[in-house]
Amino acid sequence: MKLLRRIGVTFMALSLAMVACTKKDGTIGVDASSGKADSIPTMLTRNVKTIISDSGMAKYRITAKLWLVYDEVKVPVWKFPHGLFLEKFDRKFKIEAHVKCDSATFFQETKLWRLDGNVEIKNVAKDEFLTEQLFWSQSQHKIYSDSFIHIVKSDRVIEGYGFESNEQMTQYNIKKVSGIFPVDEERSGIGKAK
């Protein structure tokens, strides 16, 4: 009997909560006029590991601790507040490039990615790009930043402020170059006899 009362009380509490959260249009959710709609995601996914394929071929793997989707807001976004790790595969399923950051935001309407904090990219040529903030416009097919950038190539290190690149990070322009340094031949393996 006590169990039935507890179930009844729980059901009544849930019913009251649903009525309290019913919008004017009859749907259930947080009333946007309360100012709390922006803080509640429409989807929350933990420990994300997903493969993205194209024409039946695995192209990318995305790994994230937390993925929040905010669809019912003025500016719909996806947020990855605990970081994002993306790997790009070649035809033999070997990793040929990767992107890593401390947090990421994807603006759905403009198809713009913003990567923040310890952004690290390794392209197919094995060049490494390190910066604090990076933008990737899928609609304009370009990657850009106004932040300090540190690029490690096989034969030199380039540093500067601001850059623009193609999506593959193979053709880029640094706006304000602050230094180009040759890589130590012994450390890089250049000039070693095999």
Side-chain angles (χ1 to χ4, degrees), residues 10 16 25-27 31 38 50 63 67 69 75 88-89 97 104 110 112 121 135 139 157 159 165 174 176:
T10 304
L16 287 173
D25 64 2
T27 59
D31 183 9
D38 289 352
T50 187
T63 306
W67 178 16
V69 176
V75 181
K88 183 181 183 304
F89 300 112
T110 57
L112 178 70
I121 297 176
F135 294 91
S139 57
V157 174
E159 293 182 341
S165 172
I174 299 171
K176 296 178 186 173

Side-chain angles (χ1 to χ4, degrees), residues 73-76 106-112:
V73 295
K74 288 181 183 178
V75 181
F106 176 66
F107 300 90
Q108 293 179 25
E109 291 176 356
T110 57
K111 297 191 183 307
L112 178 70

Side-chain angles (χ1 to χ4, degrees), residues 7 53 57 61 81 85 89 105 116 132 135 138 154 175 193:
I7 291 171
S53 60
M57 296 286 295
R61 177 173 39 215
F85 186 64
F89 300 112
T105 304
D116 292 301
E132 286 298 313
F135 294 91
Q138 288 181 295
S154 62
K175 294 177 184 176

Side-chain angles (χ1 to χ4, degrees), residues 2-3 5 12-14 58 71 73-74 99 107 116 125 160 164:
K2 288 182 182 179
L3 180 61
R5 281 188 192 153
M12 284 179 50
L14 286 172
D71 282 335
V73 295
K74 288 181 183 178
V99 177
F107 300 90
D116 292 301
E164 207 171 283

Side-chain angles (χ1 to χ4, degrees), residues 51-52 57-61 87-96:
I51 301 284
I52 300 170
M57 296 286 295
K59 296 284 186 177
Y60 303 96
R61 177 173 39 215
E87 297 165 294
K88 183 181 183 304
F89 300 112
D90 65 11
R91 291 178 186 240
K92 296 180 180 176
F93 205 62
K94 287 187 176 181
I95 298 167
E96 65 178 6

Side-chain angles (χ1 to χ4, degrees), residues 3 25 40 56 58 105 128-129 188 192:
L3 180 61
D25 64 2
I40 298 176
T105 304
E128 276 189 77
F129 299 79
S188 69
K192 283 187 177 180

